[in-house]
Amino acid sequence: MIDYDESIDKRSFNITDSQKFAIISKAFSEIFVNDEIFAKKIGASKAGVNYWRNQKTKNIKKAKFRANICTVFGLVSDVWSRSFPSEDSFKKELQNMKKIRSSTNKLDRYIMKNNEIENETVQAFFDQAKEYAKEKEMRKALNLIGKIENSDSSFLYKYKNEIQHKKAIWLSTDEIKDWDGAIHILKDLYFSSQYHLEKHEVITLIASNYKRKALFDENGDYREKEDINKNNSDLLAQSLALYDEAYELKDSQEKYYDAINFAYLYKIVDAIEGEESEDSRVSELYKELKQVWRINNNSWWEVISNAEFLMLTGDTRRAISNVQLFLGQDSNKISNLDMEGTLRQLRIYIHFTEDENSIEFYEYLRISWEGIRKGL
């Protein structure tokens, strides 16, 4: 079996949510003020805030409260998932965040003091956040989103859905892994604003976060099949249903993404439940997809998705042949990030299914890409 070899933050000990909250509320006392005022800011009860601050309970269980706390204080949401072995280590990191918030930049100080900001500046912050995200600087991107959320600009209200959409994407990344925070935002976009009818990707993102939360623990390690069956089978069922919904809503040329994710997860669920995989369901989906999908042979994601369907339906030789043709024409069309995303998906599938066809396909891709990078 090929192990999932992502870089994972191993955690042996972590201070509790309430310990973190007590430190944050004290460090940013000018924003916190008191239990009653802060409770109104985040939509919680005064008693609940008092319990957290006085550490009468360990965890802040509701994702919406954790997300709202970060919004009010202007902190990135992974403050809850990141590991800190002691209160001192957390205070040190929080001071770094506070220095960013209280930088010598006069505009930053004005924002924090007056909770106001010009529309042009909010736009500039949002554009810069997107640039940080392109460079995989997710924490910097989310820090800017926090500043935008602390503003009282009309830009924030006009583009709130787009801002929240981006925030959810960045929270979902491997660097942050705040799946609960992302799901909370995406559910709001889905149920409250009907934004998903305009941006179908929202449905796909909810499905993806449900899948990750079901298959991985908070440290990024694989969950045991027994644990998934007992505690997370509903999450997988919801993920499948949402991939199916996104597939139905999207245009013909965009359906392939949700279709291949559905196919992978369908077979993973069968493996977790100890059932023999129903290749017919995946084969039927592939046949249906091909009736409306005109594959763009210049697109890596479309070519590899088609190859993955071939692999999942047992035609691994043809899958390899198709990829080989693409790589032989112009491997510059693929970034290292693109290939790593493909290999990561395969590692997850292999871990849970131990499928021989996928192992052969994975090894071909891995070895071929290593050769391309070395110029062989």
Side-chain angles (χ1 to χ4, degrees), residues 252-265:
S252 298
Q253 281 304 114
E254 297 177 342
K255 288 181 181 291
Y256 74 91
Y257 183 82
D258 296 281
I260 192 60
N261 276 284
F262 179 94
Y264 266 125
L265 188 56

Side-chain angles (χ1 to χ4, degrees), residues 151-209:
S151 75
D152 193 26
S153 162
S154 60
F155 179 92
L156 172 63
Y157 298 100
K158 184 177 181 180
Y159 296 100
K160 181 180 178 182
N161 288 340
E162 183 182 349
I163 292 167
Q164 292 299 295
H165 186 177
K166 290 295 185 184
K167 182 178 180 180
I169 293 172
W170 301 337
L171 289 174
S172 304
T173 58
D174 288 333
E175 182 181 355
I176 306 299
K177 297 190 185 78
D178 186 359
W179 302 314
D180 283 332
I183 289 169
H184 170 68
I185 292 170
L186 293 165
K187 278 186 172 181
D188 275 351
L189 291 173
Y190 184 94
F191 291 110
S192 302
S193 67
Q194 300 294 299
Y195 179 73
H196 69 285
L197 297 176
E198 177 188 350
K199 300 289 185 180
H200 305 320
E201 183 193 358
V202 167
I203 307 172
T204 303
L205 280 169
I206 300 174
S208 176
N209 278 284

Side-chain angles (χ1 to χ4, degrees), residues 237-255:
Q238 290 179 72
S239 182
L240 284 170
L242 286 164
Y243 277 132
D244 186 55
E245 181 180 350
Y247 172 81
E248 294 297 334
L249 283 173
K250 287 184 179 178
D251 294 335
S252 298
Q253 281 304 114
E254 297 177 342
K255 288 181 181 291

Side-chain angles (χ1 to χ4, degrees), residues 88-118:
D88 285 341
S89 65
F90 181 70
K91 286 177 183 177
K92 183 178 179 181
E93 180 63 20
L94 194 63
Q95 286 304 312
N96 291 336
M97 294 179 190
K98 192 172 182 179
K99 287 175 184 176
I100 294 171
R101 290 163 51 87
S102 305
S103 70
T104 55
N105 185 298
K106 292 181 180 179
L107 178 60
D108 284 358
R109 294 205 306 271
Y110 184 80
I111 294 166
M112 299 312 304
K113 182 178 179 182
N114 299 287
N115 204 34
E116 295 176 1
I117 185 170
E118 294 295 328

